[in-house]
Amino acid sequence: MVDEPVLRLATPEDRPALEALLERSVRDLSRDFYSPGQIDASLKAIFGIDGTLIADGTYFAVMVGDRYAACGGWSRRRTLFGGDQAAGRSPELLDPGVDAAKIRAFFVDPSFARRGIASLMMRVAEQAALAEGFRSLELMATLPGVPLYKALGFIATGTHAEKLSDGNVIPFVPMRKDIGQEGGVQEFI
């Protein structure tokens, strides 16, 4: 019997395991989209766990048996992307009547990729944001994440090149989705 994924809120105690999962995810799933130098630089300067999301109760860990399969969440704060080490973070709370909730830091262990786990996390994040009054979602997609987010109803709103202090440039795609329209929350699984 195959264990089913179990989604739960992440805790501070999960952090070391989630950081290891994040690195495996970035190194493996990004290798066809970013150079080894870009991957190394992005792990140092951008990608990481955001402790604010864990403290806010908006970041998830997905377990399959006793293995960490994925992590990700959403935010009611202004910061759009980046772990605790990233520059330009803003803890300012968003106004659900005006602002879009932020989808944040989705990472899937490569051995669990393409099994619907990211879709599960997105469905739960979308429902939670909708319950708090948000009517749209924004995210900053990595290049390997763009096809998933398009399949989940997000629309690209431009391009973004994050220039790092070491000279690397990391391309991203900002994306947006309206939620809570007629028909309610879409089911993704």
Side-chain angles (χ1 to χ4, degrees):
M1 182 175 166
V2 176
D3 289 321
E4 291 294 317
V6 175
L7 182 144
R8 63 172 173 75
L9 289 177
T11 67
E13 294 74 29
D14 293 319
R15 191 170 182 136
L18 296 179
E19 287 172 347
L21 178 158
L22 179 152
E23 183 164 347
R24 286 191 306 276
S25 179
V26 171
R27 289 198 183 281
D28 187 274
L29 300 178
S30 295
R31 70 174 175 240
D32 292 336
F33 299 88
Y34 300 116
S35 72
Q38 287 173 310
I39 290 171
D40 288 342
S42 67
L43 283 165
K44 289 177 188 164
I46 302 171
F47 299 131
I49 301 300
D50 184 337
T52 304
L53 300 179
I54 293 173
D56 284 349
T58 61
Y59 201 64
F60 311 116
V62 178
M63 307 297 294
V64 175
D66 62 354
R67 294 182 61 199
Y68 287 85
C71 57
W74 71 282
S75 182
R76 59 181 71 88
R77 298 185 185 274
R78 184 115 357 243
T79 299
L80 181 57
F81 67 101
D84 288 340
Q85 80 283 17
R89 299 167 45 77
S90 173
E92 178 185 351
L93 289 172
L94 300 167
D95 176 351
V98 176
D99 299 314
K102 310 304 183 204
I103 296 299
R104 300 283 314 282
F106 272 48
F107 297 99
V108 178
D109 184 288
S111 62
F112 292 99
R114 294 168 190 78
R115 294 189 190 180
I117 293 173
S119 297
L120 169 67
M121 288 190 305
M122 184 64 74
R123 186 179 75 235
V124 173
E126 182 173 321
Q127 290 170 344
L130 190 61
E132 287 200 18
F134 288 95
R135 295 294 178 252
S136 59
L137 304 172
E138 289 180 333
L139 59 83
M140 187 65 77
T142 60
L143 297 182
V146 169
L148 167 71
Y149 298 125
K150 280 185 178 179
L152 296 176
F154 283 83
I155 298 169
T157 60
T159 60
H160 176 76
E162 187 73 7
K163 296 174 184 159
L164 304 182
S165 62
D166 69 357
N168 274 289
V169 177
I170 314 297
F172 291 98
V173 178
M175 302 183 84
R176 185 175 179 92
K177 176 182 180 179
D178 291 331
I179 58 174
Q181 307 304 316
E182 288 192 35
V185 177
Q186 295 179 7
E187 294 298 320
F188 297 119
I189 296 183

